[in-house]
Amino acid sequence: MSSPDDGAEAPVHILWLNAGLSCDGDSVALTTATQPTIEEIALGALPGLPKVAVHWPLIDFDNGPIGSRNDFLENFFKAERGELEPFVLVVEGSIPNEAIKAEGYWSGFGNDPKTGQPITVSEWLDRLAPRATIVLAVGTCATYGGIHAMAGNPTGAMGVPDYLGWSWKSKAGIPIVCVPGCPTHPDNLSETILYLLYQAAGLAPMIPLDEALRPQWLFGATVHEGCDRGGYYEQGQFATEYGQPECLVKLGCWGPVVKCNVPKRGWVNGVGGCPNVGGICIGCTMPGFPDKFMPFMDAPPGSLVSSNASKTYGGVMRKLRSITEKKLDAEPKWRHKGRELTTGYAK
Ligand code: SF4
Ligand code: SF4
Ligand code: SF4
């Protein structure tokens, strides 16, 4: 899929490798992005955006066999040969460890024309990462391993930074960019792609990343800091069952320590956002997800002290506030009928 105005200007290619251990949830999430939409990016509808050519299994109509006119993999082979320049490599899904077994493979993406054998995802990373201008890991599986990398898994799955190295940099000097979430927030992803395209075109400075390689402006605040139930937490009012409007910490919400902007941003077109609509935060954007947040739906161990403190302090605050509230909820006494002016007006 490429922008319609295919002229002299060489496009920035986006090669999307979604064959890691994955459910494709991040690809699907991206189709709902609104700021910007994927159509705006793919069609070059935003000012200054370079032309892009997207090679994305979810929507690409090229699905022919190797060597045919509509061979989907041809662009991947071209990139490997250094004939596709520049390109952003997007990785979705965790990277299984192919070195821990004697035969077979965990996860592949197309066949090698020379051998007829599947090309594993880790092999694609070895082939393409050195040629890529930018490597973008999308979803918590690709960023940190996610669900497939839980304790006890048989595949030795890991995220792209675990595979390439946390201090790895592309040939353009750009670190791996991680947009976690299970799935990733649609607009967080489309906005990051947009930023990286501007950077590839020389129109934006180096993308600012935090210590877990996440864009700082998207992951700099906690869920709690953007949650619309924060007032209940501060006043020590906690839900005891789902469906209640109060803070969800006692039902297992990890929001106070999780970096994610979903409650502020909403899910699709500003609507939704886990705790805002009654769902506990289970920390899906964090490198420690899911193991360090389990068992889900148990109150986080560290929350006991702070929620008890806020219950005591919040009880007093609520009493004081209810006095002030009563006062403020009544009109001033000089608004009345009669022949006397009691506003304090001085002639
Ligand atoms: Fe699916 Fe979640 Fe993994 Fe994305 S991060 S591929 S949504 S399991
Ligand atoms: Fe914080 Fe979660 Fe309570 Fe929201 S529901 S105020 S994020 S603890
Ligand atoms: Fe994941 Fe929590 Fe953010 Fe929801 S609020 S998307 S569970 S990190």
Side-chain angles (χ1 to χ4, degrees):
M1 188 171 96
S2 59
S3 60
D5 183 24
D6 287 326
E9 188 196 337
V12 177
H13 293 266
I14 297 177
L15 295 184
W16 197 292
L17 189 60
N18 68 339
L21 302 178
S22 142
C23 72
D24 283 0
D26 309 291
S27 281
V28 174
L30 185 57
T31 61
T32 69
T34 56
Q35 289 183 344
T37 65
I38 191 65
E39 291 88 347
E40 285 169 326
I41 294 175
L43 299 175
L46 298 162
L49 194 67
K51 285 172 54 179
V52 293
V54 187
H55 313 288
W56 183 18
L58 189 82
I59 56 166
D60 210 296
F61 44 75
D62 285 335
N63 58 1
I66 288 175
S68 67
R69 233 185 84 249
N70 58 347
D71 173 5
F72 173 76
L73 282 181
E74 180 53 22
N75 285 300
F76 288 76
F77 291 125
K78 273 189 186 164
E80 182 193 352
R81 295 194 296 266
E83 296 166 13
L84 210 68
E85 185 70 26
F87 73 90
V88 178
L89 177 64
V90 180
V91 185
E92 181 177 7
S94 46
I95 317 303
N97 186 350
E98 302 288 351
I100 56 174
K101 55 190 172 23
E103 57 179 356
Y105 68 100
W106 295 118
S107 176
F109 188 68
N111 287 348
D112 191 326
K114 289 188 201 114
T115 62
Q117 292 300 308
I119 305 173
T120 62
V121 172
S122 47
E123 202 178 335
W124 273 120
L125 271 178
D126 296 341
R127 293 180 183 202
L128 296 180
R131 300 259 188 206
T133 301
I134 296 163
V135 173
L136 171 62
V138 305
T140 303
C141 291
T143 51
Y144 312 125
I147 288 171
H148 311 97
M150 284 178 72
N153 82 79
T155 65
M158 65 196 95
V160 176
D162 303 317
Y163 185 81
L164 292 178
W166 281 80
S167 52
W168 184 92
K169 287 200 170 124
S170 73
K171 64 180 186 184
I174 304 171
I176 299 162
V177 178
C178 290
V179 188
C182 186
T184 178
H185 185 280
D187 292 345
N188 282 353
L189 180 51
S190 66
E191 194 175 302
T192 303
I193 292 173
L194 186 67
Y195 188 104
L196 293 173
L197 288 170
Y198 280 130
Q199 188 177 340
L203 296 172
M206 178 64 77
I207 186 166
L209 302 174
D210 69 11
E211 68 290 346
L213 302 173
R214 296 168 290 211
Q216 274 173 9
W217 78 94
L218 296 172
F219 293 91
T222 63
V223 171
H224 191 65
E225 285 160 349
C227 178
D228 67 10
R229 294 176 191 240
Y232 287 115
Y233 184 100
E234 190 237 1
Q235 293 183 162
Q237 293 169 289
F238 303 107
T240 51
E241 58 185 69
Y242 287 99
Q244 295 174 336
E246 293 90 358
C247 166
L248 302 167
V249 75
K250 289 194 180 296
L251 297 179
C253 182
W254 284 83
V257 291
V258 169
K259 291 174 179 171
C260 171
N261 63 356
V262 158
K264 270 197 176 164
R265 193 158 206 180
W267 260 112
V268 176
N269 208 10
V271 178
C274 308
N276 293 356
V277 290
I280 55 171
C281 171
I282 55 172
C284 77
T285 57
M286 301 289 274
F289 176 81
D291 304 68
K292 292 186 181 175
F293 298 90
M294 293 172 72
F296 295 146
M297 303 170 103
D298 278 8
S303 71
L304 205 64
V305 176
S306 57
S307 61
N308 281 345
S310 95
K311 207 163 187 173
T312 313
Y313 156 90
V316 177
M317 289 311 295
R318 259 184 293 146
K319 277 216 171 66
L320 293 174
R321 279 176 188 163
S322 75
I323 297 168
T324 313
E325 192 186 307
K326 273 206 186 82
K327 215 170 141 188
L328 300 176
D329 215 13
E331 282 190 21
K333 58 184 185 311
W334 58 81
R335 294 179 196 160
H336 54 77
K337 288 195 342 186
R339 300 188 63 79
E340 199 185 352
L341 178 68
T342 60
T343 61
Y345 177 71
K347 283 184 192 165

